[in-house]
Amino acid sequence: MFEGFRAELVEAAGLDLFVRHGGDGPAVLLLHGHPRTSATWHLVAPLLVEQGFSVVCADLPGYGRSGKPPPAPDHAAHSKRASARHLVAAMEWLGHGRFAVVGHDRGSYVALRMALDHPDRVTRAALLDSLPISEHLDRADARFATAWWHWFFYAQPEVPERVITADPDSWYRGDPRSMGTENYAEWRAAIHDPEVVRGMVEDYRAGLTVDAGHERADREAGRRVQQPLLVLWSLQDDLEDLYGDVLAIWRSWAEHVTGHGIESGHHMAEHVPDHLARVLSDFLADTPSS
């Protein structure tokens, strides 16, 4: 995986983050979701390099080989605001003062927070399979709770870690054929690390508490994403089924939003990498150099 990329730990505002980076040109940061690592981008990242981008794939704080913040009672150490701050510092360490960001699943919440909190650094953002956390919670009904029950299970104290670490393979059920053997091996090593499991669960605990609070404060203050925003969602997943017009919800959060559904399962970077890379490349074409 990632031929021609450099892999290293970088110091990022008090936390070491594991990154892979390669290519030349305008910088793009790719952020994975749960329970993946940066390896989920192994097919997309080289295609973006071929299109003339400098690509950085990072393990989110608490995930993979990145540093694991100690849990805090208010979960602030695992907030998307804290993760965004660490990732902005990592990009600066790599020489990218300004960059575009692409986030999938849990990584999309970090990307949204980066765009809101660091508008001088983030030039544009693409969010995949995503609505703001607070929008999910404000619309939560029996259908949502049944389909997305894991949000509320992971928020429980102590129990999720014990359940997941008892048999990570049965809990997550990865497939080396669809993921790719090297991506699968890296993912499997991560989910068998109790520290990673704790970090991933803390991400969800932060989501339902401090992160939702930050989003609601943004709404009350009238803060919106000013950068161009691309929203993509998997048509084989349930975002459109639950909410109908996904873009209509995002238009209340951003000044300039476009997007559409993609014929794919949830992990679109693994399922339809060529198509996703083309869509992202078109969107990112006007990204300025850092």
Side-chain angles (χ1 to χ4, degrees):
M1 295 188 299
F2 294 97
E3 184 177 355
F5 280 66
R6 181 175 179 180
E8 59 184 324
L9 283 172
V10 303
E11 198 285 324
L15 192 72
D16 289 340
L17 296 186
F18 177 76
V19 301
R20 296 171 160 104
H21 56 102
D24 294 302
V28 180
L29 172 63
L30 305 182
L31 301 177
H32 62 87
H34 171 268
R36 296 302 203 254
T37 71
S38 55
T40 195
W41 300 106
H42 70 285
L43 298 174
V44 172
L47 295 173
L48 293 178
V49 167
E50 290 177 7
Q51 293 299 314
F53 296 100
S54 179
V55 180
V56 180
C57 305
D59 286 358
L60 292 170
Y63 286 71
R65 283 178 270 184
S66 282
K68 313 297 186 292
D74 63 357
H75 310 297
H78 290 81
S79 71
K80 309 309 168 286
R81 175 160 285 160
S83 294
R85 183 175 65 251
H86 291 305
L87 285 157
V88 166
M91 291 297 282
E92 183 158 359
W93 192 94
L94 292 168
H96 304 304
R98 302 185 72 219
F99 54 91
V101 61
V102 178
H104 174 253
D105 187 81
R106 304 305 293 185
S108 72
Y109 304 135
V110 179
L112 172 61
R113 181 50 50 196
M114 294 174 80
L116 288 167
D117 286 3
H118 304 276
D120 57 328
R121 300 299 186 91
V122 176
T123 59
R124 54 184 54 214
L127 307 182
L128 284 49
D129 277 336
S130 175
L131 283 182
I133 293 170
S134 57
E135 295 284 1
H136 284 294
L137 297 180
D138 290 347
R139 290 169 168 75
D141 57 13
R143 291 179 66 221
F144 174 80
T146 301
W148 294 47
W149 60 271
H150 61 285
W151 274 28
F152 309 102
F153 174 69
Y154 292 154
Q156 304 305 309
E158 301 181 10
V159 174
E161 289 94 331
R162 294 204 302 270
V163 171
I164 295 170
T165 56
D167 190 350
D169 294 307
S170 293
W171 184 261
Y172 284 119
R173 293 179 295 179
D175 179 7
R177 290 171 297 180
S178 64
M179 295 176 66
T181 55
E182 292 178 89
N183 177 30
Y184 173 82
E186 181 171 313
W187 164 84
R188 190 168 183 271
I191 65 170
H192 278 262
D193 182 342
E195 293 297 308
V196 172
V197 172
R198 184 183 69 174
M200 294 193 297
V201 170
E202 278 293 313
D203 172 13
Y204 281 84
R205 291 173 179 144
L208 296 189
T209 54
V210 61
D211 294 329
H214 289 158
E215 289 182 3
R216 291 185 173 119
D218 291 330
R219 295 303 297 269
E220 290 177 8
R223 298 179 68 207
R224 290 158 57 88
V225 175
Q226 301 299 317
Q227 305 94 325
L229 177 65
L230 174 68
V231 177
L232 304 173
W233 58 95
S234 306
L235 292 175
Q236 296 172 23
D237 210 347
D238 59 3
L239 203 63
E240 191 172 291
D241 292 338
L242 285 171
Y243 302 116
D245 191 345
V246 177
L247 290 183
I249 299 173
W250 274 110
R251 290 189 186 103
S252 68
W253 283 84
E255 297 292 335
H256 312 285
V257 58
T258 58
H260 57 270
I262 287 183
E263 192 59 55
S264 171
H266 179 59
H267 294 285
M268 58 178 74
E270 298 168 4
H271 296 165
V272 290
D274 293 332
H275 179 67
L276 179 59
R278 285 195 300 271
V279 174
L280 292 177
S281 181
D282 289 344
F283 173 70
L284 298 170
D286 295 328
T287 300
S289 299
S290 55

